[in-house]
Amino acid sequence: MALAGHDTPTPVFNNTSAATGYSGPLPGVTAGDLVVVTLHADGESNTQNTSAWTVTLGSDTLTFRVGNTGSAPQGLVAIFSGVASASGDQTLSVTTVNALRALAANAFLVTGYDATTPHPNQDQTASTSAFTSVTLPNGVSTAADGNAMIGAIAVHGGDITGLAVSGADGSSTGQTGSNANNDCEWGVAWKRTPTVAAVTFGWTWTGADRRGVAWLEIAAATGGAASLDALAYTATLPDLTVAVNTPVGLDALSYTATLPDVSVAVDTPIALDAIAYTVTLPDVDV
């Protein structure tokens, strides 16, 4: 079963308040979804360690996967995830250790993931120096066929413009507000690799400033998929008997038989138009 939902971010909140607590609604959650949350912050002049933040979805506490640390007004990101235990509209809540200047949250509701090891790889970087670009991941190969990577970025200042990314299947950008000192420009990007491939997200923007960036890989579920486009079914038909000295119109000869079921792995699509059925006809005696 292929990954789904990794390419559909839902904005949960876009809050320009200076606070240690933020929340917003996340609609359409289904029990069993892997909920991946990207957080995009404008940091304050205090110590921010995103791994110490608490993120909950309804009654579920999500797990910190990757994120930045900082101690100055700068862009910071963190990615949390967890499996939803209940269906329906849920409330996403974030509690930080120290106050932020602003915080935005996006959520992905992912299905078709590997429940044993949902996140094989991740990385992050942050800086208090001013930049207009950053590349992360940079030529990192996915761990297996069908996996996807989600990237997140935050750039200090609501006066940043033109945030874009190359190398992704798609992206979404926004800002908490327009204040040059108290807001941030944010973005999320995603890419799925049907076969193992290197992934590079090249972020660029106008207006040099401090940024934080991270990415997280999502592993696709495996199920021993068969190469069904090459599937062949072979059988031997019984003899065909006709009356002696009776002409047989072979160009119009038809033979109908019922095939037994074809068994394949669960949740594996079958390209029925590509299944081949091979038979061997014995000689026809006339």
Side-chain angles (χ1 to χ4, degrees):
M1 183 178 181
L3 283 176
H6 65 282
D7 55 358
T8 310
T10 298
V12 181
F13 57 77
N14 210 39
N15 198 316
T16 192
S17 300
T20 58
Y22 303 84
S23 65
L26 178 58
V29 178
T30 300
D33 284 348
L34 176 65
V35 182
V36 179
V37 174
T38 62
L39 300 174
H40 316 257
D42 195 49
E44 186 53 273
S45 298
N46 53 39
T47 300
Q48 291 290 344
N49 184 350
T50 58
S51 66
W53 294 358
T54 300
V55 180
T56 60
L57 180 68
S59 62
D60 300 320
T61 298
L62 304 187
T63 301
F64 172 82
R65 302 299 183 180
V66 64
N68 308 140
T69 59
S71 57
Q74 67 184 99
L76 298 170
V77 296
I79 306 178
F80 287 71
S81 77
V83 177
S85 64
S87 298
D89 298 347
Q90 306 283 333
T91 297
L92 179 73
S93 299
V94 179
T95 302
T96 65
V97 176
N98 295 309
L100 299 170
R101 295 188 177 191
L103 184 67
N106 290 277
F108 298 79
L109 304 178
V110 182
T111 59
Y113 60 91
D114 184 339
T116 302
T117 307
H119 304 300
N121 290 303
Q122 65 282 315
D123 198 7
Q124 61 81 32
T125 186
S127 177
T128 55
S129 298
F131 292 92
T132 58
S133 66
V134 64
T135 300
L136 196 81
N138 189 358
V140 178
S141 294
T142 47
D145 295 349
N147 287 9
M149 288 186 184
I150 290 177
I153 189 171
V155 184
H156 172 61
D159 56 341
I160 299 300
T161 60
L163 180 62
V165 64
S166 61
D169 291 337
S171 63
S172 178
T173 62
Q175 58 182 187
T176 57
S178 59
N179 189 289
N181 295 315
N182 298 324
D183 285 306
C184 70
E185 188 83 5
W186 58 259
V188 289
W190 53 88
K191 184 174 183 64
R192 177 179 174 272
T193 60
T195 57
V196 170
V199 176
T200 298
F201 290 163
W203 294 97
T204 58
W205 59 91
T206 299
D209 223 319
R210 302 163 176 178
R211 83 293 186 269
V213 63
W215 61 269
L216 179 69
E217 184 173 354
I218 304 174
T222 58
S227 179
L228 294 177
D229 57 348
L231 182 64
Y233 183 92
T234 303
T236 301
L237 303 182
D239 292 342
L240 176 65
T241 303
V242 297
V244 175
N245 295 326
T246 300
V248 179
L250 293 178
D251 56 347
L253 182 64
S254 63
Y255 184 90
T256 302
T258 300
L259 304 182
D261 294 338
V262 178
S263 299
V264 295
V266 175
D267 293 330
T268 301
I270 302 176
L272 293 178
D273 57 347
I275 293 181
Y277 179 84
T278 303
V279 298
T280 301
L281 295 177
D283 294 338
V284 178
D285 297 325
V286 297

